[in-house]
Every structure is written in structure tokens, then in C-alpha cells.
Amino acid sequence: MSSHTPHDQAVSRHGWVRAVVVALSGLFAMGVVAALGLWAAGAADLPQGAFPRVVAATVVTGVGGTVELSGNAGGLADTQAGLTVIPLSVTLVGALVTGAGFLRPLRHRAVAGGAELAGWAARIAVVWLLGLLGLALAARRTFSIGLGDDTLNDLGELFGVSPEAGFTTDVPLTLTVGLVWLAGVLVLALLVPPGAPLPPRLLRLHRSVRPAAYAMVLLLLCCVALGLVVGLVVAATRGHAAETLAVVLLGLPNLVWLTFTIGLGATWNGRVEGPFALPMPRVLDEVLRGPDDTRLNLGTLAEHDSRVWWLLAVDAALLLTAAFVMAAHSPAGTRAWRHAVRMAVALVLTVLMICLVGRISAHYGLSVLGIGDLGGGLSGELYLRPEVWPALGLAALWGLAAGFLGGLLAGAARRRGAARPPRRR
């Protein structure tokens, strides 16, 4: 008779060796995606062997970490720079790989003890923090910036101006936010998949929370899949394959989830000034590249291209499909109004997440003797921010309507299946 307890067997299935594999696999997958995206964007040509450090910085920002920009231009000059953006392609890949690795030893089980899950998650977290610490320490570099033509370089030498720009990480904040990110990924890994095990006390979530969470994740992934198809078609037929590939590998969810909220009727405020370029279709960049701050919504986009009204139909089809999936995975007999409420709550939380992680803000500038925008090309600004409360209100309305209709369709499908006579052998 074996002397090993079920707890010992569980630890052997997902002990420290597997924890190392799961945590490092997630970080490695993020690094590969970030490296390919930055290579396609031309970052491989950065001087002083900075490419690996930029890759590390991209992974750090992918888990919500903080990369701080700095600049120095000598005693008579001043530099300012800031950057806030999450490369959501990197984030999504890391979340999928880490979540799948977390669930793999738990497959084929309906229930898992809370202590077992906590211990398994803690081992992954320890290795994850050590890996993230190494990336955060590696993500720092300083570059020299040329002033452009010979005249500006002569002025720079005259005034002792030698612009430098660099980046570094706030290590404690990065580790804290990275740990919260990992906890969120592991919680979602347990809540979302229909077959994932839950602790006995949380089994009721299988009936109420899991169908809605599963439908929302499926909705977001469908948006990404549609965007990937469009991106590949554009790369193959319209040229600029490298630039398109860079957008896909670094910011595809940023673009498609933004577009999804616009299709719901949400408004984003933004501006593009200087040499910055947003990773989005030409029509969006044209709308934002004006003299003043711009409202980005269906109306303003339709003034440039009437085809954007198709976003309404695409969003309606995606939401109705997600609502049907949610209702089909819910217990039979659930009333349509309950499906509507659950869909509305889930969609509001999803849109809130998009509003929080989809913000973009970047600026930089150089001034000499108080004269800004030297040379016209040494400063720029872009930002993109949502009008959050109207977006959440629209999400609630869409969720109520789609949830109600999806519940009715799922109920009709169940009745049709129950009424169908069994096949004779």
C-alpha cells in the first residue's frame, strides 16, 4: 500500500519544477512576441546593443509594469518625455500561455482543494517574480539623439547640447503590478474554462459567473481573430508587410478592442501631433491628426469613410453569439431576464477593462534656451482616452438586449432538441 497522501500526489504533479516551466514559459512567450514585433518595427537597428533591453522593457510593460523615460540635453537645454501604453498582443500571449500551464496539471478534475490551488499558484508566483525581477533590471538603457541636419548639430555643439534619452524601470512597482497581473490571470484561468476545477466552496460560480466570463473571453478572442485575418490580408495585398506585422505582434488587441467599443457607440478623445503615428488604420490616424483635440466615434469616422457603420452590424453579431453561448452554458430553465442582467454586467466589466488598458499617452520634446520644438521634428505628442461613463452605459444597454435575445434563442434551441425524437438504431 502506498504511503503517499493525495496532497503529496498533487504536489508531485505540480511542484517546483513544473512551476519553473509554467512561469518561464509565459515570460519566454511574451519575449518572443515582443522581439518579433520590435524587429518588424525596425528596433533591431538600435545602437549600443539595446535591442534585448528594449524587448525586456516591452515585456515589463506587457504585464503592467512601469518603464520610466528620462532625458538630458546639457545645461542650456531641457528634455521631457513620457510614455504610457500596454502592448496587449504581448499581454494576451503571456496570459494564454501562463493560464494554460497553470491548468494543465489540474485537467480531468472537477474539484480542487483551496489549499492545493493556493500552493500551486504560490510556487508559480515565486518563480514569476524572480523572472520579472531579472527583466526589470535588464530593461534600462540611454541613447544619444542627433539634432538632425548639420546646422542643428553646429548649434548643439555651440550651446553644449547633446541630447540623450533613456529608459529604466521602477522595480518595486513593476514587481507589485506584475504580481497582481499574474493573480488576475490565474483567477481567470479558474473561472473561465468550463472544465477547470474549482474549490468546493466556489462550485456555485460554475452556474452563475463562469458562463458569462467564458462568453466575454470568447468575445474578446473573436475580435482578435477577426483583426488578425484583416491584418494578414492587408499585409499580403497592400504592402507595408513589416509595419502591419509589427502592429499585429505588439498592439492588435489595442486596435480591435478599441474598434469594438467604437462599434458600440463609445467615444474616445485623442490627438496626434508631430512624427508620432498610431498603430491603426489610416482613417483613424487622419481623424486624430488635426489641429485640435478630436472626438473619435462612429460619426466622426463616417465623415471620412462611411463603411465604418458596418461596425454596428459586426458588434451586434458578436454580442448575440456571445449571449447565446452564455445562455447555452447556463443551467436550463434560467429566465431570459437573468441572462440579460448577467450579460449586461459582464459586458460593462469588459468595456471597463478595455477603457483602462487601451489608453495611450506619449510625448517628448527638446527646448534650447527656452525655445521649444527645435527643428520641428524633436517634439511630439499623442494621446487616446475614452469617455468612460457613456461607454459603460452603452455597454449595459447592449448587454441587456443581447442577453435577453440570446437567452430566448438558447431556450428555443433547448426545446427543439428535447422535442426531437431519438434516433432508432
Side-chain angles (χ1 to χ4, degrees):
M1 179 180 297
S2 173
S3 60
H4 294 292
T5 65
H7 180 266
D8 294 333
Q9 295 174 354
V11 170
S12 66
R13 285 196 301 269
H14 40 80
W16 282 104
V17 173
R18 189 176 288 273
V20 171
V21 172
V22 172
L24 296 187
S25 294
L27 291 173
F28 178 76
M30 297 175 75
V32 169
V33 173
L36 291 174
L38 291 168
W39 170 79
D45 297 328
L46 289 172
Q48 305 169 21
F51 181 68
R53 298 182 182 274
V54 175
V55 171
T58 304
V59 175
V60 166
T61 57
V63 299
T66 301
V67 174
E68 300 175 344
L69 301 182
S70 61
N72 180 29
L76 299 178
D78 179 58
T79 59
Q80 295 181 345
L83 175 66
T84 302
V85 63
I86 300 176
L88 290 179
S89 292
V90 178
T91 303
L92 181 61
V93 168
L96 293 175
V97 172
T98 304
F102 174 70
L103 290 179
R104 182 169 177 78
L106 306 172
R107 65 191 186 280
H108 309 312
R109 298 170 58 185
V111 179
E116 176 191 350
L117 292 174
W120 174 218
R123 284 187 285 276
I124 294 176
V126 170
V127 182
W128 174 267
L129 287 176
L130 291 175
L132 193 58
L133 175 62
L135 289 171
L137 293 176
R140 53 188 65 198
R141 176 64 75 180
T142 300
F143 305 94
S144 298
I145 303 175
L147 290 176
D149 59 28
D150 294 337
T151 302
L152 291 177
N153 280 322
D154 293 340
L155 289 174
E157 294 179 1
L158 176 62
F159 291 113
V161 175
S162 54
E164 293 181 343
F167 60 90
T168 185
T169 52
D170 185 333
V171 176
L173 182 60
T174 294
L175 295 181
T176 301
V177 176
L179 183 61
V180 172
W181 182 90
L182 177 66
V185 168
L186 300 186
V187 169
L188 287 176
L190 288 175
L191 285 180
V192 173
L198 288 171
R201 294 183 180 180
L202 300 181
L203 287 177
R204 64 183 183 276
L205 298 180
H206 180 76
R207 294 174 172 266
S208 58
V209 176
R210 178 168 281 173
Y214 177 71
M216 289 300 100
V217 171
L218 183 64
L219 171 68
L220 294 176
L221 292 179
C222 284
C223 291
V224 173
L226 288 174
L228 178 60
V229 171
V230 173
L232 294 178
V233 171
V234 169
T237 59
R238 299 187 181 180
H240 306 290
E243 292 83 350
T244 303
L245 183 61
V247 172
V248 168
L249 291 170
L250 294 176
L252 181 61
N254 300 70
L255 174 58
V256 296
W257 294 345
L258 163 72
T259 306
F260 171 73
T261 63
I262 291 176
L264 298 179
T267 296
W268 292 65
N269 296 311
R271 186 179 184 183
V272 179
E273 181 182 21
F276 282 123
L278 286 174
M280 56 179 55
R282 178 180 53 82
V283 61
L284 298 182
D285 189 74
E286 288 179 352
V287 172
L288 291 172
R289 198 174 290 279
D292 301 314
D293 296 349
T294 305
R295 291 167 59 84
L296 191 65
N297 53 39
L298 284 173
T300 57
L301 291 176
E303 295 175 0
H304 290 74
D305 191 338
S306 60
R307 291 176 297 179
V308 299
W309 290 111
W310 280 102
L311 290 177
L312 283 170
V314 173
D315 276 17
L318 288 171
L319 287 174
L320 188 58
T321 302
F324 179 84
V325 170
M326 181 193 73
H329 284 79
S330 298
T334 304
R335 296 182 180 274
W337 70 266
R338 288 187 180 274
H339 291 308
V341 172
R342 290 172 181 173
M343 182 72 179
V345 172
L347 188 59
V348 166
L349 293 176
T350 300
V351 171
L352 176 61
M353 181 275 297
I354 295 173
C355 290
L356 293 177
V357 303
R359 297 166 179 258
I360 299 176
S361 176
H363 71 273
Y364 75 93
L366 169 67
S367 62
V368 179
L369 297 176
I371 303 173
D373 194 19
L374 182 62
L378 296 176
S379 67
E381 178 182 12
L382 75 82
Y383 75 88
L384 191 61
R385 294 190 293 265
E387 295 183 4
V388 178
W389 291 110
L392 298 184
L394 289 166
L397 294 176
W398 278 91
L400 288 171
F404 189 81
L405 291 175
L408 294 179
L409 292 174
R414 279 198 176 104
R415 289 191 295 272
R416 189 180 303 113
R420 185 177 302 164
R423 294 181 179 179
R424 294 182 179 180
R425 294 185 179 180

